[in-house]
Amino acid sequence: MILVTGGAGFIGANFVHQWFESGHEAAVVLDKLTYAGNLGNLADLMGRSGFHFVHADICDRTALQRVLTEHRPRAIVHFAAESHVDRSIRGPAQFLQTNFTGTFELLEAAREYWVALPGAQRDSFRFLHVSTDEVYGSLRETDPAFSEQRAYSPNSPYAASKAASDHLVRAWHQTYGLPTLVTNCGNNYGPYQFPEKLIPLMILNALEGKPLPVYGDGLNVRDWLYVTDHCTAIQRVLASGRIGQTYNIGGGCERRNVEVVRAICAALAALRPRAGGYESQIEFVQDRPGHDRRYAIDASKVQGELGWRPQETFESGLSKTVRWYLDHADWVAAVRDGRYRQWIELHYGSDRPGPT
Ligand code: NAD
Ligand code: DAU
């Protein structure tokens, strides 16, 4: 049994699907089901033997203690977070609450649980913290890619809150000996991504004939990784990573934003042809404040130590992603009109923590 926080979100849901598909044992997902958490992402796992779902907030220590005592996991994989940079600029408080305080509460609950485990279980227990390359700040065009030695230099409230959580994890290892692992990954894309992030937003806006809003000059660079490749890397780190270590994860797929948007338009033109295509919908809009210019990941450590390699190129991953959104109109509609929130209310009742 492993405990997965944030498993109803984009990467967490992909991770849980892959976990079961690759023949692993049980998993319990703990998720607050914020606007980004969607039980529809896990619908096919509901009722499956070995799958459990707990609706709880990582800031709630008592709920965390209860889950750990009841399910006795051998590892915690910690995805739960507020994850969108633009939201963090408009309202940073929730980012500090979940990403910093929530990680603190989870670390403390994990420590209390771990110290009480019997010898062999104590030795094999792992706390894997899923983090981001944004903690390293921004690169210039000619700078080398982020290695694990790069100094932290976060620029957005989101990045600062994740950097702070990484520091807590490090401290809990150094001070208390908690057997931690940290992964810092670049931009993910793929199925189940909430359509506030660049790639799904552009796919859906394009299909709906809406503007494709590219921030600033569109030349900011991100290092893209198909989500299942990220999940495979997390599985490798969990299985064989060295305790107390950090592993950077990336696909070596640097692309300028405007190139990404044009690639989406081209993929749509091939799969859903339309007179005039989609590129005419691109609009350059006001830049994001503090917008990091470039991210790039040096993944040589996870490749060299753990033999991890991404399976998808940017082209193959983007094609799969566009197809997925075209084939899942129901998922899109439910996310767009909020129906999935009504289902949560119906299923869990108003006395439980609801979506924000
Ligand atoms: P997401 O926003 O899609 O999902 C986050 C999930 O966490 C949701 O299910 C949400 O309900 C849950 N959650 C939020 N606050 C919670 C709380 N207080 N208690 C319990 N659950 C809570 O995010 P994502 O894109 O899947 O990212 C997952 C993790 O991976 C995050 O830690 C993020 O920082 C990290 N990460 C994301 C990317 C990316 O490109 N998306 C890249 C690198 C790292
Ligand atoms: O690098 C990892 C990070 O990637 C993760 O830690 C974050 O959780 C994840 O959200 C992502 O952050 P970004 O800010 O890079 O992702 P986003 O999809 O919001 O934006 C990608 C790029 O596209 C960025 O340079 C901003 C730009 N952008 C984004 C949106 C939503 C636009 O030009 N227009 C848009 O409408």
Side-chain angles (χ1 to χ4, degrees):
M1 167 68 76
I2 62 165
L3 170 60
V4 180
T5 72
F10 161 49
I11 307 174
N14 278 284
F15 178 84
V16 174
H17 280 112
Q18 192 189 75
W19 184 256
F20 283 104
E21 279 159 20
S22 52
H24 280 91
E25 79 273 56
V28 55
V29 167
L30 181 149
D31 201 296
K32 182 182 174 185
L33 300 177
T34 68
Y35 78 94
N38 181 350
L39 273 184
N41 297 350
L42 301 169
D44 53 329
L45 296 173
M46 294 292 171
R48 178 191 173 128
S49 122
F51 176 79
H52 305 267
F53 179 77
V54 176
H55 188 205
D57 187 332
I58 54 166
C59 299
D60 179 349
R61 177 90 62 92
T62 308
L64 296 174
Q65 288 166 329
R66 201 180 309 125
V67 169
L68 290 169
T69 308
E70 189 179 328
H71 292 281
R72 320 256 344 131
R74 67 170 176 85
I76 298 173
V77 185
H78 177 32
F79 291 97
E82 290 291 336
S83 70
H84 190 38
V85 172
D86 293 327
R87 285 182 191 257
S88 82
I89 295 167
R90 285 186 179 273
Q94 191 58 47
F95 285 70
L96 269 296
Q97 176 66 10
T98 288
N99 300 358
F100 181 71
T101 304
T103 300
F104 162 72
E105 294 294 347
L106 186 64
L107 282 165
E108 277 296 79
R111 181 166 75 92
E112 181 187 273
Y113 168 73
W114 167 72
V115 293
L117 286 173
Q121 287 176 38
R122 192 165 185 271
D123 292 344
S124 61
F125 182 79
R126 297 288 183 273
F127 183 106
L128 191 154
H129 176 61
V130 180
S131 192
T132 170
D133 61 354
E134 300 206 11
V135 299
Y136 299 121
S138 187
L139 292 168
R140 288 168 300 189
E141 204 172 324
T142 52
D143 286 341
F146 298 132
S147 77
E148 290 80 0
Q149 277 69 50
R150 178 103 186 171
Y152 275 33
S153 187
N155 290 320
S156 70
Y158 163 69
S161 68
K162 290 295 291 187
S165 69
D166 292 9
H167 292 323
L168 288 180
V169 174
R170 177 189 162 85
W172 260 243
H173 172 66
Q174 295 290 121
T175 303
Y176 304 112
L178 188 71
T180 59
L181 298 156
V182 177
T183 56
N184 293 85
C185 188
N187 285 60
N188 284 220
Y189 64 103
Y192 304 116
Q193 188 167 33
F194 196 79
E196 63 188 354
K197 308 283 167 57
L198 181 74
I199 288 182
L201 181 87
M202 294 295 167
I203 295 171
L204 300 187
N205 277 14
L207 288 170
E208 291 167 10
K210 293 180 179 165
L212 307 179
V214 175
Y215 297 160
D217 61 8
L219 300 182
N220 301 64
V221 172
R222 296 292 182 266
D223 191 343
W224 295 94
L225 183 67
Y226 192 66
V227 62
T228 54
D229 281 327
H230 184 191
C231 296
T232 312
I234 291 171
Q235 283 210 36
R236 287 278 173 95
V237 173
L238 184 63
S240 313
R242 286 182 292 136
I243 289 174
Q245 293 286 309
T246 288
Y247 294 88
N248 286 357
I249 300 169
C253 282
E254 285 186 62
R255 295 287 185 284
R256 293 186 176 88
N257 290 339
V258 70
E259 290 171 358
V260 171
V261 178
R262 289 201 179 112
I264 292 167
C265 292
L268 283 171
L271 293 166
R272 191 64 64 85
R274 195 167 78 182
Y278 297 89
E279 278 202 25
S280 60
Q281 290 165 235
I282 294 176
E283 281 184 13
F284 289 88
V285 300
Q286 192 177 9
D287 209 352
R288 171 187 280 175
H291 195 179
D292 286 335
R293 193 63 172 168
R294 174 179 165 237
Y295 304 143
I297 298 271
D298 174 353
S300 52
K301 182 174 173 181
V302 70
Q303 292 181 353
E305 274 188 28
L306 304 179
W308 173 81
R309 294 278 183 289
Q311 299 301 305
E312 302 291 343
T313 63
F314 184 69
E315 289 66 33
S316 67
L318 190 67
S319 170
K320 283 187 176 180
T321 304
V322 171
R323 278 176 201 277
W324 189 89
Y325 281 91
L326 288 174
D327 290 347
H328 290 79
D330 287 354
W331 183 92
V332 170
V335 167
R336 286 288 226 214
D337 73 10
R339 265 188 288 134
Y340 75 103
R341 298 191 198 194
Q342 293 162 18
W343 187 87
I344 290 162
E345 186 61 22
L346 189 69
H347 193 63
Y348 289 100
S350 52
D351 55 329
R352 302 190 188 213
T356 54

